[in-house]
Amino acid sequence: MDRIPVLIPVVTLLDYTIHRGSAVAKIIGSNVKKLEKFAPTVNMWVFEEIINGRKLTDIINTDHENVKYLPGHKLPENVVAVPNLSDAVKGADLLVFVIPHQFIHKICQEISGKVHSKALGITLIKGIDEGPEGLKLISDIIREKMGIDISVLMGANIANEVAAEKFCETTIGNVSMSGSKVIENGLLFKELLQTPNFRINVVEDADTVELCGALKNIVAVAAGFCDGLKCGDNTKAAVIRLGLMEMIAFAKIFCKGQVSIATFLESCGVADLITTCYGGRNRKVAEAFVNTGKVLNYLYVYKSLPFERSVLMLVCKVL
């Protein structure tokens, strides 16, 4: 059986802290060395930066550590940082997207036609694209622009804890381009990504899985307001519960197919919601807004607290 070449496109750009890309690269790099069906080398596309006079890709390939975005965690030696996107995707059969959502259009345009039609992709991007046609799932954008099947992975997966191999769960949602359910693709990515400490469950409700990854950030903003106003744990618990109900209601309106309530009980739903409302960046920026009175743009740019643009838009509309 031919071994499957694997690609992880990871971008490290602007002030956004893309820890997850390197954390996932650590998992995949370790797994492919043990699994015969996958190629032993993992290409990781890295947006080139200069760190203390050295190229970031050179640091990763020599020292095997992403010293800027995931310091203190060694990457497997078979993870190769590639600065050129076209070179990184060459010959890839599996693509794992871990980039800020606002760059997805540009990335897809650049690699469209350079990846064969039978390639499979999975997105770990937590966000919703906002454009002239309204809100659109990131998986739909990749599917439309590249013509490949896309799975989604969402869950309570704080990058530093994943890299430290602390136990967590996550959820893969899978649906094919034609709309028919193809669970095999999700199971393939489960095999690629699962470890004893990174447990994966595969479901067929892909749109709901992906939507949870964005909507929980809105609830986290409300949780941060509660913390800043010192409303107490009872109020925060109520906000989380009511937020979950609103997530379910929104999904029923937004999603194209049937929405399964059971999906919200997966890691992508209630678990990620809890984690984000207690330890997430959006909670922190909302709390800082209450405590400092600084505008949100200042907090997430100058305080290095990334804030989803689509989330900010949704919050403004709700308010």
Side-chain angles (χ1 to χ4, degrees):
M1 180 185 299
D2 291 337
R3 303 183 81 178
I4 303 175
V6 180
L7 159 75
I8 307 180
V10 178
V11 70
T12 52
L13 186 63
L14 303 176
D15 289 331
Y16 288 84
T17 53
I18 309 304
H19 305 85
R20 282 185 300 154
S22 293
V24 171
K26 181 180 178 181
I27 291 175
I28 295 179
S30 297
N31 280 352
V32 297
K33 291 191 293 185
K34 307 170 188 174
L35 301 171
E36 288 296 325
K37 69 167 58 177
F38 299 110
T41 300
V42 178
N43 288 339
M44 180 170 71
W45 174 55
V46 177
F47 186 85
E48 193 69 278
E49 300 180 59
I50 302 299
I51 310 295
N52 296 324
R54 299 175 64 192
K55 293 180 180 180
L56 181 57
T57 52
D58 289 342
I59 295 173
I60 293 173
N61 291 334
T62 302
D63 302 339
H64 307 292
E65 181 180 354
N66 189 335
V67 295
K68 182 172 183 179
Y69 295 108
L70 198 67
H73 297 281
K74 290 293 184 180
L75 299 176
E77 294 184 2
N78 61 326
V79 174
V80 179
V82 181
N84 183 279
L85 182 57
S86 297
D87 291 341
V89 302
K90 186 177 181 180
D93 293 316
L94 301 179
L95 297 95
V96 182
F97 292 85
V98 196
I99 60 174
H101 72 271
Q102 59 267 40
F103 301 113
I104 193 61
H105 288 279
K106 180 180 178 180
I107 298 304
C108 287
Q109 288 171 359
E110 188 169 344
I111 62 177
S112 179
K114 299 176 182 178
V115 178
H116 62 78
S117 60
K118 293 184 178 180
L120 302 175
I122 189 167
T123 170
L124 282 67
I125 303 170
K126 295 186 176 183
I128 303 177
D129 184 71
E130 179 255 328
E133 299 178 358
L135 301 178
K136 181 176 287 189
L137 295 175
I138 302 300
S139 61
D140 285 339
I141 294 172
I142 299 172
R143 195 175 290 115
E144 292 171 4
K145 289 185 174 295
M146 298 189 60
I148 62 174
D149 277 359
I150 292 290
S151 302
V152 299
L153 184 150
M154 303 287 158
N157 310 136
I158 296 176
N160 287 328
E161 295 183 12
V162 173
E165 300 182 14
K166 295 182 178 180
F167 181 84
C168 66
E169 297 178 309
T170 197
T171 311
I172 288 179
N174 198 111
V175 64
S176 74
M177 285 194 306
S178 63
S180 62
K181 297 171 182 176
V182 183
I183 203 72
E184 289 81 6
N185 294 347
L187 292 174
L188 177 63
F189 281 111
K190 177 179 179 178
E191 188 175 3
L192 178 69
L193 289 159
Q194 182 165 261
T195 73
N197 292 315
F198 191 69
R199 307 303 295 176
I200 299 174
N201 192 30
V202 181
V203 301
E204 297 175 339
D205 196 1
D207 286 356
T208 303
V209 171
E210 185 172 3
L211 196 59
C212 283
L215 295 182
K216 53 95 179 183
N217 287 320
I218 302 174
V219 184
V221 172
F225 290 155
C226 285
D227 290 339
L229 294 169
K230 302 188 186 309
C231 294
D233 290 334
N234 292 339
T235 301
K236 187 172 179 178
V239 166
I240 294 173
R241 188 194 72 82
L242 291 168
L244 179 60
M245 297 298 292
E246 290 294 328
M247 288 170 59
I248 295 172
F250 186 91
K252 289 181 177 179
I253 297 172
F254 182 84
C255 293
K256 299 179 289 292
Q258 184 176 356
V259 173
S260 172
I261 301 301
T263 303
F264 290 91
L265 300 179
E266 296 287 344
S267 180
C268 64
V270 65
D272 200 8
L273 177 62
I274 293 170
T275 296
T276 307
C277 286
Y278 279 90
R281 295 188 295 266
N282 291 313
R283 185 212 66 79
K284 293 177 183 177
V285 81
E287 181 182 24
F289 172 77
V290 174
N291 291 333
T292 66
K294 301 290 186 180
V295 296
L296 292 174
N297 285 350
Y298 172 86
L299 293 171
Y300 81 81
V301 174
Y302 295 99
K303 297 296 184 181
S304 297
L305 290 172
F307 198 82
E308 298 278 4
R309 179 168 175 259
S310 58
V311 169
L312 178 60
M313 182 204 68
L314 286 171
V315 170
C316 291
K317 285 189 176 181
V318 170
L319 296 178

